[in-house]
Amino acid sequence: MSNQSTTQPEKPATTGPGYFEVILIALLIAGAAVAGYDRLFAEKIRVVDLKGYLRTQKALLAAGEITPKQWKGKLDNVEQILNDEADRHQNQVIILKDVVLRNGQEIRIKE
């Protein structure tokens, strides 16, 4: 009876994932690496229309709709908004809208 057990072919030991699994794992790791790099390390460009904002505020000041004290307060507010944006988004560069031709995400300054 022991001869019967020796005549049966043994199952081959599994060697690891097949080609499909290896390709799938490689694609998942590459996708995660690209997404992580884009989110954490890649520089993004943010733009601000400071020239247009200042032009509007100067016109309001010249028309007498705001006082010089309010104008200075609004300038301080703009500086605070830009500082908050810079602190919140460490991998983003803020530059003037006049310099960027297209595809820059704009920071809106609320009055």
Side-chain angles (χ1 to χ4, degrees):
M1 305 251 169
S2 63
N3 277 345
Q4 240 180 357
S5 64
T6 59
T7 59
Q8 290 179 351
E10 294 183 21
K11 292 183 180 178
T14 57
T15 59
Y19 289 116
F20 178 72
E21 289 87 5
V22 169
I23 291 171
L24 184 64
I25 291 169
L27 287 175
L28 288 174
I29 291 173
V34 168
Y37 175 78
D38 182 58
R39 185 176 217 49
L40 299 174
F41 300 112
E43 291 287 328
K44 304 281 194 296
I45 295 177
R46 305 276 313 258
V47 297
V48 62
D49 187 15
L50 193 58
K51 192 183 250 185
Y53 180 78
L54 290 176
R55 191 175 329 129
T56 303
Q57 295 304 311
K58 284 181 184 179
L60 291 173
L61 184 63
E65 294 183 23
I66 59 172
T67 65
K69 187 175 181 180
Q70 289 173 324
W71 184 61
K72 288 180 183 179
K74 288 185 178 197
L75 290 179
D76 290 339
N77 187 29
V78 168
E79 182 180 10
Q80 185 63 38
I81 289 171
L82 293 178
N83 287 338
D84 290 344
E85 286 289 326
D87 289 340
R88 202 169 2 154
H89 305 287
Q90 294 294 325
N91 63 335
Q92 295 185 355
V93 177
I94 301 173
I95 57 177
L96 294 176
K97 188 177 180 179
D98 299 339
V99 177
V100 177
L101 185 60
R102 65 176 75 150
N103 293 342
Q105 186 179 11
E106 186 171 354
I107 298 172
R108 302 273 184 208
I109 300 174
K110 300 173 187 169
E111 292 187 29

